[in-house]
Amino acid sequence: MRFFDEMHISSTEVRDHYKAYDRWLAKQTSDLMRSRGEEAEMIFRRVGITFAVYGDKDETGAGNERLIPFDLIPRIIPAKEWIELEAGLRQRVNALNRFLHDVYHDREILKAGIVPSEPVLNNAQFRPEMMGVTVPGDVYSIISGIDIVRAANPDGTGTYYVLEDNLRVPSGVSYMLENRKMTMRLFPDLFAQHRIAPVTRYPDLLLDTLRAVAPPSINDPTAVVLTPGMHNSAYFEHAFLAQQMGVELLEGKDLFVQDDFVYMRTTRGPQRVDVIYRRVDDDYLDPQAFRKDSTLGCAGLLRAYRAGNVSLANAIGTGIADDKSIYPYVPRMIEFYLGEKPILQNVPTFLGRDKNDLKYVLDHLPELVVKEVHGAGGYGMLIGPAATKAEIEAFKAQLLARPDNYIAQPTLSLSTCPTFVESGIAPRHIDLRPFVLSGKTVQMVPGGLTRVALKEGSLVVNSSQGGGTKDTWVLEN
């Protein structure tokens, strides 16, 4: 299988936007690069930039904290490519927000038959409680993480595709920011040789966006970050973003609802809260409305939200638009709501719920990637070319038992980027997660989080399965 190499055109030719970096890299010794990698790991560990994998416990029963491996070699995107990517991301997130408003109001797209009703209305992520609820600016997904991959074309060029939309509680932006800080610390001379678009203003943009979606009657809104607590796998990020924005980091027990308004407990008495950047899933947000056994949320929160007295980022029920069973219809949403052709294409996708698609999938399992529609983190999936016959047969049984629970896609030839591994510099597969902020306007910092599959030949970039991250440079003209 041919892969698009982000840095090289051939074994002897480097792409224009990597030439200055290639000259610099040729002067660095392996020992120097290795020592810089060890320095980065030491600093990340000291700062506490870790994550926990659910189910991975130590002998005391506590979750094992892991570092996400940081690769020293950046992924570089030329300005012209980023301009097109940014336009495609704006278009896609706009359409997804239009879809969410429509689903919870007039359902025009369902009536028109553009998107079938069954996978929407019978989906576990559809929240009937949100029917008719007005959210500020009709923006449901305030923070969106859109996963982008690049695949090789027969002529040697590469095409960007959207692999997945993350609209519930997308994570990873703290690693984007810390990776940039680390690269600047380790290699300050590189930044004198390149004009790299900054990412450090993301926390300011995030806070501005949160304040922009506050209830319209509030002049000086108070925003907070709601975390499930220190045992959550992304707790570092919750604390990091609260600190960077200068807002309170709260758990559900720190909040209460009175007269349909939300307050936080402080040493000076109750203080009203207007915007909650919640990193808690819908099911756990309000024990009066959803899971009664939840201790992570705040009783009465949905009531205050429906009354328009508090804003949530992201909105309850947003998950319906990032479900893998809805993903295939996003290009149609763009045409339906915006009257435009999609700038960024989807990966071709087969639906298990479609009889013809299912027959094709069953006949071609060794060639396809099959995913659970509600799956995440690289779990619950079959990578056909890497699977044994026994694994394929076992997965076939699961697929036949619940065909509507799966989608399938061709095995993409994900692009590669040179990566510093134990044996030296070698190509490894990557993706990109830009973070799109939607308030009164749609904004993003240039780039995003580049994730890298560190195992040779692996296409799974998720940190929970051994993936790492890279700094992402968008060059300015």
Side-chain angles (χ1 to χ4, degrees), residues 432-473:
L432 176 67
R433 178 176 291 181
F435 296 90
V436 185
L437 300 174
S438 304
K440 286 188 169 65
T441 59
V442 179
Q443 305 178 84
M444 65 199 87
V445 294
L449 179 68
T450 291
R451 302 184 297 176
V452 54
L454 294 173
K455 296 174 186 172
E456 186 175 1
S458 174
L459 297 171
V460 182
V461 299
N462 303 80
S463 55
S464 58
Q465 301 209 40
T469 65
K470 289 174 171 283
D471 192 8
T472 307
W473 297 1

Side-chain angles (χ1 to χ4, degrees), residues 277-299:
Y277 176 22
R278 51 96 173 203
R279 299 296 295 259
V280 176
D281 291 337
D282 286 358
D283 283 338
Y284 301 94
L285 267 179
D286 182 350
Q288 291 182 356
F290 304 114
R291 286 189 55 152
K292 292 179 171 51
D293 61 344
S294 173
T295 59
L296 303 178
C298 170

Side-chain angles (χ1 to χ4, degrees), residues 135-267:
V135 300
D138 295 337
V139 179
Y140 287 73
S141 183
I142 291 102
I143 303 103
S144 308
I146 310 297
D147 290 348
I148 306 284
V149 296
R150 176 143 57 175
N153 298 318
D155 64 357
T157 60
T159 299
Y160 286 110
Y161 293 92
V162 175
L163 184 64
E164 199 167 288
D165 303 295
N166 299 281
L167 309 181
R168 278 172 257 189
V169 281
S171 63
V173 74
S174 59
Y175 301 104
M176 173 190 82
L177 296 169
E178 289 291 350
N179 287 352
R180 174 61 53 84
K181 198 186 299 182
M182 183 60 69
T183 309
M184 293 179 75
R185 175 179 182 143
L186 296 177
F187 308 115
D189 52 322
L190 271 176
F191 285 81
Q193 300 176 30
H194 295 82
R195 293 188 62 199
I196 303 165
V199 297
T200 50
R201 64 195 185 104
Y202 178 86
D204 293 333
L205 282 183
L206 176 58
L207 182 57
D208 288 347
T209 302
L210 293 174
R211 290 168 64 89
V213 298
S217 59
I218 306 301
N219 293 324
D220 186 20
T222 296
V224 301
V225 176
L226 177 63
T227 176
M230 63 184 296
H231 298 297
N232 184 266
S233 62
Y235 180 74
F236 163 77
E237 178 157 293
H238 308 166
F240 175 87
L241 289 174
Q243 187 268 332
Q244 291 291 307
M245 288 190 288
V247 305
E248 295 291 339
L249 176 68
L250 304 177
E251 296 183 29
K253 63 188 178 186
D254 301 318
L255 295 171
F256 68 94
V257 173
Q258 184 175 309
D259 299 328
D260 291 350
F261 288 91
V262 181
Y263 297 89
M264 62 176 161
R265 295 178 172 89
T266 77
T267 55

